[in-house]
């Protein structure tokens, strides 16, 4: 930035957290505001920041970056706690001085979350070959379609790339034939129109068939908390009541 721009705009960097940052938003923000939007990751049990894309260094769209400190250790493990290499999806574990000692007066919850000093986050993630971390979804949100793992965030990321879609969310529901199936919720941008067939066809062209939602629901808005994070549990509860 030129000295004149710095004089009138003292903001140097913006940080995104709390929910997954769509790649389209990451790229659009940089074009519009001419400054980086750094995506990071954290949770209350880790005080609360764990990773961040570096201010000085490579910033990767879709990634939550690298450990905030050299004292923070990360690893990704499978269901048997075996560490996984790059591009392998498993549960993210965190260890370091930022990790809590435990939940207050909740010994059972502490024992199930903390093991040998490692915090089991419940988030499914992977490393790339450069050591950058990518969250693919919550372990409890994973949809098991005929034994194949489907991560809602992957579907949501594709939905957000559609120029007509403003917001999107994907959850899993029981299915008598496939065990579980994903379904999608979308909010269209002002002035846009689309059909369910159009959105599903858009997804079929970009995803494996078992990842394509069973159906799409159009909403005027999606339920959110005070920080703007979409509350999927409310959508899940709505579907349970319909069954």
């Amino acid at each position: 930035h030129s000295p004149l721009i710095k004089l009138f705009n003292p903001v140097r960097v913006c940080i995104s957290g709390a929910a997954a940052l769509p790649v389209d938003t990451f790229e659009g923000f940089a074009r519009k505001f001419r400054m980086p939007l750094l995506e990071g990751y954290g949770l209350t049990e880790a005080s609360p920041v764990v990773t961040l894309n570096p201010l000085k260094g490579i910033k990767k769209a879709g990634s939550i970056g690298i450990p905030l400190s050299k004292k923070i250790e990360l690893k990704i493990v499978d269901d048997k706690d075996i560490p996984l290499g790059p591009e392998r999806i498993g549960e993210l574990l965190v260890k370091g001085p930022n990790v809590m000692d435990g939940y207050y007066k909740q010994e059972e919850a502490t024992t199930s979350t903390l093991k040998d000093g490692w915090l089991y986050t419940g988030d499914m993630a992977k490393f790339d070959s450069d050591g950058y971390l990518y969250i693919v979804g919550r372990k409890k949100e994973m949809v098991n379609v005929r034994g194949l793992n489907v991560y809602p965030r992957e579907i949501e990321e594709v939905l957000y790339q559609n120029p007509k879609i403003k917001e999107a969310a994907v959850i899993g529901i029981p299915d008598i034939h496939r065990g579980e199936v994903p379904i999608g919720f979308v909010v269209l941008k002002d002035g846009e129109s689309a059909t369910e067939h159009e959105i599903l066809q858009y997804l079929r062209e970009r995803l494996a068939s078992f990842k394509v939602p069973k159906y799409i629901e159009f909403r005027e808005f999606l339920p959110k908390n005070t920080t703007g994070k979409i509350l999927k549990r409310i959508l899940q509860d709505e579907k349970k009541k319909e069954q």
Side-chain angles (χ1 to χ4, degrees):
H1 299 318
S2 71
L4 186 59
I5 293 177
K6 291 181 179 180
L7 176 64
F8 289 101
N9 183 9
V11 178
R12 295 289 177 269
V13 64
C14 294
I15 295 174
S16 172
L21 178 67
V23 172
D24 183 63
T25 301
F26 172 85
E27 295 174 344
F29 186 95
R31 286 194 304 269
K32 184 172 183 178
F33 296 103
R34 298 171 61 191
M35 68 176 64
L37 178 58
L38 307 183
E39 184 173 9
Y41 164 84
L43 59 168
T44 303
E45 292 86 345
S47 304
V49 184
V50 175
T51 67
L52 186 67
N53 272 272
L55 177 58
K56 296 182 179 179
I58 298 173
K59 304 166 187 59
K60 296 193 177 188
S63 171
I64 56 172
I66 57 179
L68 191 66
S69 162
K70 293 181 179 180
K71 295 181 180 180
I72 297 176
E73 298 178 59
L74 306 176
K75 68 177 176 179
I76 292 173
V77 301
D78 63 13
D79 290 339
K80 297 180 180 179
D81 285 345
I82 298 174
L84 301 175
E87 304 301 336
R88 297 283 304 280
I89 296 173
E91 184 174 1
L92 173 63
L93 276 56
V94 180
K95 189 176 188 180
N98 58 325
V99 172
M100 68 174 184
D101 290 330
Y103 296 109
Y104 183 61
K105 293 185 177 180
Q106 297 184 51
E107 185 175 344
E108 185 176 340
T110 298
T111 301
S112 64
T113 305
L114 288 174
K115 300 175 184 179
D116 297 324
W118 288 96
L119 170 66
Y120 284 64
T121 67
D123 286 312
M124 304 299 287
K126 66 178 182 178
F127 287 113
D128 67 13
S129 58
D130 296 322
Y132 278 66
L133 192 64
Y134 296 76
I135 297 291
V136 300
R138 291 287 295 168
K139 189 174 184 178
K140 62 183 180 182
E141 291 179 357
M142 184 179 70
V143 184
N144 189 317
V145 181
R146 289 178 175 163
L148 299 171
N149 295 338
V150 176
Y151 300 96
R153 182 175 178 178
E154 180 183 1
I155 305 171
E156 292 163 358
E157 192 62 61
V158 176
L159 286 169
Y160 272 110
Q161 292 170 13
N162 188 306
K164 293 185 176 183
I165 293 176
K166 178 182 179 182
E167 295 177 338
V170 173
I171 64 171
I173 61 170
D175 182 84
I176 59 173
H177 300 295
R178 292 182 281 176
E180 287 183 301
V181 291
I183 62 171
F185 302 84
V186 300
V187 177
L188 297 176
K189 294 178 181 177
D190 293 341
E192 296 288 357
S193 63
T195 65
E196 181 185 20
H197 174 77
E198 177 185 348
I199 300 301
L200 288 175
Q201 185 59 34
Y202 176 85
L203 292 172
R204 290 189 187 103
E205 294 171 357
R206 294 163 174 80
L207 293 169
S209 59
F210 70 91
K211 297 180 181 180
V212 176
K214 184 175 183 179
Y215 60 84
I216 297 290
E217 283 192 17
F218 293 94
R219 299 286 183 97
E220 292 186 4
F221 61 89
L222 294 176
K224 300 182 184 71
N225 63 14
T226 54
T227 65
K229 185 176 182 179
I230 295 174
L231 297 174
K232 292 186 180 181
R233 69 174 182 273
I234 293 180
L235 297 172
Q236 200 85 54
D237 290 343
E238 289 178 6
K239 291 298 146 186
K240 286 181 180 178
K241 291 179 182 178
E242 292 177 6
Q243 294 173 357

